[in-house]
């Protein structure tokens, strides 16, 4: 009950925050990364369920097309960037190339190294252009991930969530950890840090994600709504 009341209070603040973003013609990008089944989608749903749907988008890109594979890696993400007064939520982002792709052999080592060399400058260009960028990483334990995968497999309404990549996540746990740590280390070289949220407890993690978003983008807390 306490967490539900807290969620409603936080969502009220999100409405205020969004109203300020719209009024000031600002734009924001919020990216969610993390282990498979860590609750990225659930956190995004809690953030967006009360705000104005005309001024936000949720982006979860599929595998790149053959044409996109010939383009600069960041190009297809740039196409999804927000206009003035809009917030875009990425359910996984360009950081696929930092973790998921190298772990699963979806990119070459050269492509991986190029990404790691470019990503901090890419994000610097985003923020210097006036777009606000918030980065959240949802972290869960190996045991909790296994438990959630079992729930997904046994629930007909959730089975669509399970992909071939998900099926290998437990087996490749240590490799994911290694590349995740490299990603964090790279942001320490002048990049924008991730907010790491311990997400074994879903409700608490969602509330913490909302609070971080509220703390990251200034707004008028006294605005009447």
């Amino acid at each position: 009950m306490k967490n539900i009341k807290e969620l409603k209070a936080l969502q009220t603040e999100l409405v205020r925050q969004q109203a300020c973003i719209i009024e000031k013609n600002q734009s924001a990008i919020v990216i969610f990364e993390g282990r498979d089944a860590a609750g990225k989608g659930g956190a995004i749903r809690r953030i967006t369920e009360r705000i104005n749907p005309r001024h936000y988008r949720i982006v979860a890109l599929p595998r790149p097309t053959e044409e996109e594979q010939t383009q600069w890696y960041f190009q297809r993400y740039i196409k999804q960037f927000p206009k003035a007064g809009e917030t875009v939520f990425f359910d996984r982002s360009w950081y696929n190339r930092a973790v998921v792709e190298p772990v699963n052999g979806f990119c070459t080592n050269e492509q991986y190294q190029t990404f790691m060399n470019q990503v901090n400058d890419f994000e610097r260009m985003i923020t210097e252009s006036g777009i606000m960028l918030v980065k959240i990483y949802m972290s869960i334990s190996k045991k909790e991930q296994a438990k959630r995968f079992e729930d997904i497999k046994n629930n007909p309404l959730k089975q669509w969530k399970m992909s071939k990549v998900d099926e290998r996540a437990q087996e490749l746990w240590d490799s994911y950890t290694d590349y995740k740590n490299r990603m964090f280390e790279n942001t320490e070289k002048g990049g924008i840090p991730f907010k790491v949220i311990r997400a074994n407890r879903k409700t608490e993690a969602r509330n913490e994600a909302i609070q971080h978003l509220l703390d990251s983008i200034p707004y008028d807390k006294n605005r009447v709504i």
Side-chain angles (χ1 to χ4, degrees):
M1 194 67 178
K2 177 185 175 183
N3 286 333
I4 294 175
K5 287 182 177 179
E6 181 182 356
L7 174 62
K8 289 183 177 179
L10 290 169
Q11 289 177 328
T12 300
E13 294 305 305
L14 285 172
V15 173
R16 286 195 176 93
Q17 185 184 64
Q18 186 196 41
C20 289
I21 291 173
I22 296 169
E23 186 178 273
K24 296 179 180 180
N25 280 327
Q26 297 174 320
S27 54
I29 294 172
V30 184
I31 67 175
F32 277 82
E33 293 294 335
R35 303 269 187 180
D36 296 315
K40 299 178 292 295
I44 293 172
R45 284 193 296 274
R46 292 299 179 272
I47 289 171
T48 58
E49 67 183 352
R50 302 294 183 185
I51 60 177
N52 188 333
R54 292 187 294 274
H55 294 276
Y56 79 81
R57 284 182 291 118
I58 299 172
V59 176
L61 294 181
R63 292 178 58 182
T65 63
E66 288 187 15
E67 180 181 1
E68 287 172 334
Q69 290 176 28
T70 68
Q71 298 170 345
W72 181 42
Y73 177 74
F74 295 100
Q75 192 166 333
R76 74 188 194 123
Y77 294 99
I78 293 172
K79 293 176 182 177
Q80 303 295 332
F81 276 18
K83 61 186 178 184
E86 186 179 42
T87 301
V88 171
F89 298 89
F90 279 95
D91 186 347
R92 291 204 181 279
S93 68
W94 44 90
Y95 280 100
N96 271 330
R97 179 141 293 179
V99 182
V100 175
E101 290 190 15
V103 168
N104 290 280
F106 297 155
C107 69
T108 66
N109 185 59
E110 182 180 3
Q111 289 171 325
Y112 167 76
Q113 294 296 339
T114 298
F115 170 85
M116 296 295 275
N117 290 334
Q118 291 181 348
V119 64
N120 288 345
D121 287 334
F122 174 67
E123 292 178 359
R124 177 180 53 79
M125 288 188 284
I126 292 173
T127 56
E128 286 184 354
S129 298
I131 300 174
M132 295 174 286
L133 177 61
V134 181
K135 297 160 58 176
I136 296 173
Y137 185 93
M138 309 289 282
S139 177
I140 57 173
S141 67
K142 187 176 183 180
K143 181 179 179 180
E144 179 64 20
Q145 186 188 60
K147 178 182 175 183
R148 293 185 187 182
F149 280 160
E150 193 65 25
D151 176 59
I152 290 170
K153 290 176 184 177
N154 294 326
N155 188 333
L157 299 178
K158 295 182 179 180
Q159 287 173 359
W160 61 270
K161 294 183 177 182
M162 200 74 183
S163 68
K164 291 182 179 180
V165 171
D166 295 332
E167 290 171 359
R168 300 185 64 209
Q170 288 272 293
E171 172 191 344
L172 298 172
W173 181 272
D174 291 340
S175 184
Y176 273 105
T177 299
D178 178 40
Y179 278 97
K180 175 196 73 174
N181 290 337
R182 293 190 205 181
M183 178 179 73
F184 290 155
E185 289 169 5
N186 196 60
T187 62
E188 294 174 3
K189 302 173 183 177
I192 297 170
F194 279 91
K195 168 65 176 178
V196 179
I197 294 177
R198 307 298 175 188
N200 277 7
R201 295 178 179 271
K202 290 183 179 181
T203 303
E204 294 176 9
R206 291 165 181 169
N207 288 358
E208 187 177 350
I210 295 174
Q211 186 61 63
H212 178 65
L213 180 55
L214 293 171
D215 292 340
S216 300
I217 299 178
Y219 68 99
D220 181 3
K221 296 179 175 61
N222 297 314
R223 183 188 179 91
V224 177
I225 56 174

